[in-house]
C-alpha cells in the first residue's frame, strides 16, 4: 500500500497538531500544579500571620482593663479555633474590635507590635488572593476544563478581611513617624553561617535583638548601592554590586525605635564570602551606642538565640538560611517573595 504526498502531509500535520496539544497540555498541567502549590503556601503564610496577630492581641489584652481584655482574648481565641469556612467572620470580628482600641492606652512597643501584626496579615492576604486569582483564571479556561487538566485538586478560595484606610494602623489615631525602604543582606560565610549584629532600642537598653546587615536607602541610591554601602559601614568588608544576588525577599516591618513608629519595607540580598572578622569603623555615634556585638550563626545558633529570649529578625531566619545559601550560589537572580 502506498500513500500519496497529500496523505503523508495530512498525517504529518495531524501528528504535529497532536504533539503541540500534548506539549501545551503537559506545560499547562505543570503550571496549574505550581499555582496550586503557590495557593497552598500562601494560605499557610496567611494562617501563620493570623495566628501571630492573635498572640499579639492577647499580649495587648494582658495590659488592658479587665472587661475589654476579656473580650479581645475571647475574640482572638475564637479566630484561632474557627474552621476555614467561619474564619473570615471571626477574623473580621477581631479586626473590628482592634479598630476601637485607643493607642494611648498601650505601651508604644505594644502599639508597634499590633500595627506590625495587622500589616503582615493584610500583606499575606493580598499575596494569597493574588495566588487564588491566578489559579482560578487558568482553571476557568475552556481547554483546561475540557481536558480536566486541573485533576481532582479542589478550587482555592479567596480570603476577605476588612482593610482600613491605613493598613499599618491599629486605630485611626495612630500615625507613623517614618516610612522608609531598606536594603538588607544575608551575608554568609563558606560554612553557611550568617553574620548577625546585636543591638537594642536606645530607649530600651535592656532588651536585645539580632538582625542582618543593612539599613535605609539614602536619597539618590538604588538598592544594590545601599546594600554595598551598608556592608562596608557595618562590617568593613568591600563587596561589589554584581556579587549580590537578589533581592530575594520582601518584608514589611513596623516597629518602635527611639520613641518613633517606623514602617520599613525591607528588600533582602544574599552574598557568600569567606569568613572574616568584622569591624565597625563606619558606625555612626548612635550605632556605636546601640549595636553591641556581632556573631556568625548557623541555623541552630539562631534558634538558640530565640529560645534564650533574644529576638532575631527576620523571624524565620533559621528556616530561611538554606534558601539564602542557594540564592547566593545561583547564577541568576530569583523572584522576590514575601517573608515575615
Amino acid at each position: 500500500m502506498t500513500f500519496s504526498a497529500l496523505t503523508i502531509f495530512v498525517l504529518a500535520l495531524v501528528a504535529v497538531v497532536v504533539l503541540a496539544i500534548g506539549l501545551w497540555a503537559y506545560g499547562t498541567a505543570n503550571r496549574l500544579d505550581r499555582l496550586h502549590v503557590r495557593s497552598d503556601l500562601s494560605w499557610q503564610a496567611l494562617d501563620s500571620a493570623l495566628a501571630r496577630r492573635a498572640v499579639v492581641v492577647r499580649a495587648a489584652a494582658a495590659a488592658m482593663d479587665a472587661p475589654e481584655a476579656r473580650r479581645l482574648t475571647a475574640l482572638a481565641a475564637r479566630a484561632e479555633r474557627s474552621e476555614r469556612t467561619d474564619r473570615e467572620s471571626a477574623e473580621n470580628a477581631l479586626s473590628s474590635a482592634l479598630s476601637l482600641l485607643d493607642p494611648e492606652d498601650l505601651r508604644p512597643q505594644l502599639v508597634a507590635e499590633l500595627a506590625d501584626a495587622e500589616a503582615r496579615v493584610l500583606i499575606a492576604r493580598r499575596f494569597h488572593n493574588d495566588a487564588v486569582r491566578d489559579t482560578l483564571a487558568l482553571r476557568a479556561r475552556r481547554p483546561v476544563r475540557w481536558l480536566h487538566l486541573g485533576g481532582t485538586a479542589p478550587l482555592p478560595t479567596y480570603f476577605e478581611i476588612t482593610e482600613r484606610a491605613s493598613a499599618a494602623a491599629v486605630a485611626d489615631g495612630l500615625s507613623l513617624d517614618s516610612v522608609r525602604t531598606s536594603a538588607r543582606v544575608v551575608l554568609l560565610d563558606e560554612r553557611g553561617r550568617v553574620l548577625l549584629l546585636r543591638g537594642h532600642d536606645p530607649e530600651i537598653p535592656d532588651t536585645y535583638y539580632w538582625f542582618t546587615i543593612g539599613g535605609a536607602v539614602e536619597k539618590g541610591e538604588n538598592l544594590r548601592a545601599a546594600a554595598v554601602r551598608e556592608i562596608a559601614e557595618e562590617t568593613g568588608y568591600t563587596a561589589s554590586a554584581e556579587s549580590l544576588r537578589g533581592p530575594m525577599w520582601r518584608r514589611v516591618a513596623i516597629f518602635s525605635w527611639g520613641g518613633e513608629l517606623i514602617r520599613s519595607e525591607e528588600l533582602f540580598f544574599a552574598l557568600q564570602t569567606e569568613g572574616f572578622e568584622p569591624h565597625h569603623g563606619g558606625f555612626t555615634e548612635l550605632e556605636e551606642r546601640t549595636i553591641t556585638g556581632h556573631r556568625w550563626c548557623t541555623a541552630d545558633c539562631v534558634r538558640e538565640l530565640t529560645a534564650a529570649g533574644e529576638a532575631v529578625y527576620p523571624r524565620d531566619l533559621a528556616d530561611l538560611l538554606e534558601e539564602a545559601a542557594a540564592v547566593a550560589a545561583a547564577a541568576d537572580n530569583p523572584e522576590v517573595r514575601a517573608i515575615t
Side-chain angles (χ1 to χ4, degrees), residues 181 216-222 226 229-230 233:
T181 299
V217 177
E218 296 181 353
K219 186 176 181 180
E221 279 187 324
N222 60 34
R229 174 180 53 77
E230 290 289 343
E233 291 177 354

Side-chain angles (χ1 to χ4, degrees), residues 190-203:
E190 68 277 9
R191 295 164 55 186
R193 299 180 303 173
V194 60
L195 179 59
L196 297 177
L197 301 180
R198 184 179 190 251
H200 62 80
D201 187 317
E203 297 195 356

Side-chain angles (χ1 to χ4, degrees), residues 100-146:
L100 301 176
L101 286 182
D102 185 352
E104 298 298 326
D105 294 337
L106 298 173
R107 299 193 311 273
Q109 191 64 32
L110 276 175
V111 172
E113 285 285 330
L114 275 172
D116 185 50
E118 284 223 293
R120 291 174 189 277
V121 166
L122 297 183
I123 291 168
R125 186 195 71 83
R126 290 170 187 170
F127 272 95
H128 172 68
N129 284 353
D130 286 347
V132 171
R133 179 200 63 213
D134 294 343
T135 305
L136 294 179
L138 187 55
R139 287 281 295 266
R141 294 181 183 177
R142 287 192 180 91
V144 173
R145 289 187 283 110
W146 291 341

Side-chain angles (χ1 to χ4, degrees), residues 268-283:
F268 287 78
F269 293 90
L271 176 64
Q272 188 158 32
T273 71
E274 294 183 357
F276 64 94
E277 182 61 25
H279 66 80
H280 310 138
F283 276 6

Side-chain angles (χ1 to χ4, degrees), residues 77-299:
R78 179 194 165 204
E80 283 185 311
R81 292 196 302 265
S82 295
E83 297 294 332
R84 177 67 176 85
T85 52
D86 301 320
R87 190 74 175 272
E88 287 182 11
S89 61
E91 296 291 349
N92 275 312
L94 180 57
S95 294
S96 297
L98 288 174
S99 69
L100 301 176
L101 286 182
D102 185 352
E104 298 298 326
D105 294 337
L106 298 173
R107 299 193 311 273
Q109 191 64 32
L110 276 175
V111 172
E113 285 285 330
L114 275 172
D116 185 50
E118 284 223 293
R120 291 174 189 277
V121 166
L122 297 183
I123 291 168
R125 186 195 71 83
R126 290 170 187 170
F127 272 95
H128 172 68
N129 284 353
D130 286 347
V132 171
R133 179 200 63 213
D134 294 343
T135 305
L136 294 179
L138 187 55
R139 287 281 295 266
R141 294 181 183 177
R142 287 192 180 91
V144 173
R145 289 187 283 110
W146 291 341
L147 297 175
H148 300 288
L149 297 181
T152 58
L155 291 173
T157 56
Y158 291 105
F159 188 86
E160 300 300 340
I161 191 169
T162 304
E163 293 191 26
R164 293 188 294 282
S166 172
V170 176
D172 293 338
L174 178 62
S175 61
L176 296 169
D177 297 298
S178 177
V179 177
R180 69 190 189 193
T181 299
S182 297
R184 308 212 67 86
V185 182
V186 180
L187 184 58
L188 303 161
D189 68 5
E190 68 277 9
R191 295 164 55 186
R193 299 180 303 173
V194 60
L195 179 59
L196 297 177
L197 301 180
R198 184 179 190 251
H200 62 80
D201 187 317
E203 297 195 356
I204 314 175
D206 296 328
T207 301
Y208 291 95
Y209 53 90
W210 296 81
F211 51 95
T212 56
I213 304 299
V217 177
E218 296 181 353
K219 186 176 181 180
E221 279 187 324
N222 60 34
L223 281 170
R224 287 180 178 272
V228 167
R229 174 180 53 77
E230 290 289 343
I231 293 171
E233 291 177 354
E234 296 183 348
T235 74
Y237 181 83
T238 301
S240 67
E242 295 75 20
S243 64
L244 299 174
R245 291 290 175 268
M248 56 182 176
W249 305 327
R250 175 180 179 270
R251 173 178 180 259
V252 175
I254 298 174
F255 55 92
S256 174
W257 197 87
E260 294 188 345
L261 190 62
I262 299 169
R263 180 187 188 276
S264 178
E265 180 177 7
E266 300 175 342
L267 284 303
F268 287 78
F269 293 90
L271 176 64
Q272 188 158 32
T273 71
E274 294 183 357
F276 64 94
E277 182 61 25
H279 66 80
H280 310 138
F283 276 6
T284 64
E285 185 273 335
L286 180 60
E287 288 172 332
E288 288 283 359
R289 290 192 291 109
T290 57
I291 298 179
T292 60
H294 64 265
R295 187 171 178 181
W296 289 96
C297 287
T298 62

Side-chain angles (χ1 to χ4, degrees), residues 18-77:
V18 170
L19 178 62
I21 293 174
L23 290 174
W24 173 85
Y26 177 78
T28 302
N30 280 337
R31 184 183 171 201
L32 267 176
D33 183 59
R34 291 194 300 272
L35 285 172
H36 278 290
V37 170
R38 178 185 164 202
S39 297
D40 291 341
L41 292 177
S42 65
W43 168 250
Q44 292 173 20
L46 175 56
D47 184 56
S48 176
L50 291 168
R52 179 173 177 266
R53 182 174 75 157
V55 171
V56 176
V57 168
R58 280 197 291 270
M64 297 171 57
D65 293 337
E68 186 62 25
R70 286 196 296 270
R71 179 168 176 263
L72 279 175
T73 301
L75 288 171

